[in-house]
Amino acid sequence: MAYNKTKQELVKDVCPLKYDLPPEFAERMKRLLGADYPNFLSAYHLPYRRGLRVNTLKCSIDKFTQLFPYAITQSPFCAGGYYLEEELRAGADPLHHAGAYYMQEPSATAAVTILDPKPGERVLDLCAAPGGKSTQIVAALKGSGLLWANEIIRSRAQILAQNIERCGVRNAVVSCTDAAAIGKGLSGFFDAVLIDAPCSGEGMFRKEPAALSEWSEDNIGMCARRQTEILEAAADTLMEGGRLLYSTCTFAPEENELQIARFLNAHPDFELVDLSGTSFGRPGFSWAQVKEFSDQAYPCYPLQYTRRILPGDGGEGHFIALLKRNGTNAVLYGGYPYITNDTNSIRFYSLYKECFRSPESGIPQTIGDIVRVVPEGLPSLRGLGVISAGAAGAEICKNRLEPCHAIFMAAANAEDCVSVLDMNADDPRLLSFLKGETIDAPGCSGWTAVAVYGIITGFGKVSGGILKNRYPKGLRLRNG
């Protein structure tokens, strides 16, 4: 259902509200929105719309739209973002396994669009799991610079690392620690920071109706206090002139405009960037509109420079504010102690040439029983809860090395591989490969990439025209 339909056409698509909004929430929204409240409420009668974003690290937008067999409609929030117009089980789709796209609520892509990361920049995603915004950031970096993606909950950090690997990322660090540790250990390191802050989740009621039962004004207050701590830590990591983007998926002013007012009051070296030229959403609420939700008096900052996306704006609930640091900041981080002449790193170069034609980007480093290819210009990783850095290149197996899944996923395209088995999505061998089975691979030999329409989805080793499968067990299809 496209959002450019007429009102009469939209009426036909309207579905009944299947849940009741908490009365206290409804009353707060009436106070906040005033005469616009009926329009806000009417959006809850429209069906929730799923979306996806093309991963341009592995597939161009033009190529994806030609290959993707499901109906999609362009979203207004980023160039490669789309609404899904029919059901899709992404976990069974070879293009999803290959990392060609990321399932992402359409308006959730807006924050990175506004942050606008540039190639060569160092960017921190401080509350990063499950990885939608992280993989969007690193696609914008186009293989240069560095993404540092942090998640405080260990299980979610592991999912984040898996999604970064699936999307073919080479220049990222994934960590699992609190914001304060990042702020202390990486002072002045980043050009840009994104905080997709943990929040009360009011904007997710249509996507996750279970959030309705968890809503309370006490939870809003708890979230606001946690967001204040995260913002304080994030400010420490920015260099002079750096950009800090703060976003939530909630409507509560205490977590949005008032949070920004509090931060600006405590940090006169930051300024609020005017987002009024943004092509989507609507202006944030002014101080006059939100001050009744505060028990403190702040200077009258132009809070309408921020941006809000309401359910009637083509997405769910989002708030976005962009801040710029004008003041200087102490640089306290140390450099990573690269070791470039150990035996395994030297062996890795030979193995890499067996697998790929393109020159290696990054520096091989032996970390435990894995040779990882890590980016140049890393800071010290000590004490920051790092789970992974760069891409896993090879596993150390006694006196030999064997390539890892991640290094094949990080290859730009099938043409970069010495040996490749490239198949269409309807080739039955591709489904067998994703199940972990042995398949026929005529004309291939040695370490061989497996691709769908030229997009690499894994690898195996071919001998006598038969590919022995190396697709990771945890990723394999179990049925269908």
Side-chain angles (χ1 to χ4, degrees), residues 77-94:
F77 304 108
C78 80
Y82 293 88
Y83 298 102
L84 269 169
E85 304 298 355
E86 56 185 297
E87 289 299 315
L88 164 66
R89 190 161 68 94
D93 183 12

Side-chain angles (χ1 to χ4, degrees), residues 236-251:
D236 291 337
T237 69
L238 270 179
M239 63 179 64
E240 183 176 0
R243 313 183 305 285
L244 191 160
L245 189 139
Y246 174 84
S247 69
T248 73
C249 57
T250 197
F251 307 120

Side-chain angles (χ1 to χ4, degrees), residues 224-406:
R225 290 188 292 273
R226 181 167 51 181
Q227 292 154 2
T228 296
E229 294 172 357
I230 293 171
L231 270 164
E232 291 295 325
D236 291 337
T237 69
L238 270 179
M239 63 179 64
E240 183 176 0
R243 313 183 305 285
L244 191 160
L245 189 139
Y246 174 84
S247 69
T248 73
C249 57
T250 197
F251 307 120
E254 298 94 321
E255 302 178 67
N256 295 332
E257 289 91 353
L258 292 173
Q259 191 65 257
I260 296 303
R262 183 217 56 79
F263 180 83
L264 290 170
N265 200 48
H267 295 272
D269 53 339
F270 279 77
E271 66 174 292
L272 186 58
V273 177
D274 186 357
L275 300 180
S276 60
T278 305
S279 61
F280 49 76
R282 62 186 71 195
F285 296 120
S286 68
W287 172 251
Q289 292 171 282
V290 301
K291 65 181 181 180
E292 68 170 289
F293 293 87
S294 176
D295 58 1
Q296 299 185 52
Y298 295 110
C300 190
Y301 298 107
L303 299 178
Q304 61 274 21
Y305 283 6
T306 63
R307 208 73 182 162
R308 277 185 177 260
I309 299 169
L310 300 184
D313 297 330
E316 299 308 301
H318 280 85
F319 170 84
I320 300 170
L322 183 62
L323 300 136
K324 180 181 177 182
R325 178 171 207 141
N326 294 322
T328 59
N329 190 19
V331 175
L332 301 178
Y333 59 88
Y336 181 82
Y338 293 98
I339 299 173
T340 58
N341 58 355
D342 70 284
T343 301
N344 289 318
S345 296
I346 294 170
R347 287 176 176 171
F348 177 76
Y349 284 114
S350 297
L351 175 66
Y352 186 86
K353 290 179 181 179
E354 291 181 33
C355 301
F356 304 103
R357 294 189 175 92
S358 58
E360 177 51 57
S361 59
I363 303 173
Q365 297 288 287
T366 301
I367 302 174
D369 59 355
I370 299 291
V371 178
R372 302 193 67 89
V373 184
V374 303
E376 298 181 14
L378 282 179
S380 173
L381 309 182
R382 188 179 298 275
L384 295 175
V386 171
I387 292 176
S388 66
E395 183 179 2
I396 302 169
C397 304
K398 295 183 179 180
N399 295 321
R400 71 184 191 283
L401 299 182
E402 294 192 356
C404 292
H405 176 71

Side-chain angles (χ1 to χ4, degrees), residues 410-477:
N413 51 61
E415 288 75 17
D416 286 339
C417 301
V418 172
S419 178
V420 60
L421 178 62
D422 193 9
M423 295 174 279
N424 294 334
D426 58 358
D427 191 317
R429 292 177 300 168
L430 183 58
L431 182 61
S432 296
F433 174 78
L434 294 176
K435 290 180 176 180
E437 298 170 2
T438 297
I439 59 175
D440 292 334
C444 300
S445 63
W447 299 114
T448 297
V450 176
V452 52
Y453 300 121
I455 309 166
I456 297 171
T457 192
F459 80 107
K461 191 166 189 179
V462 176
S463 178
I466 302 297
L467 183 138
K468 185 177 180 181
N469 203 313
R470 295 299 183 93
Y471 199 57
K473 291 182 179 179
L475 304 179
R476 293 175 183 176
L477 289 176

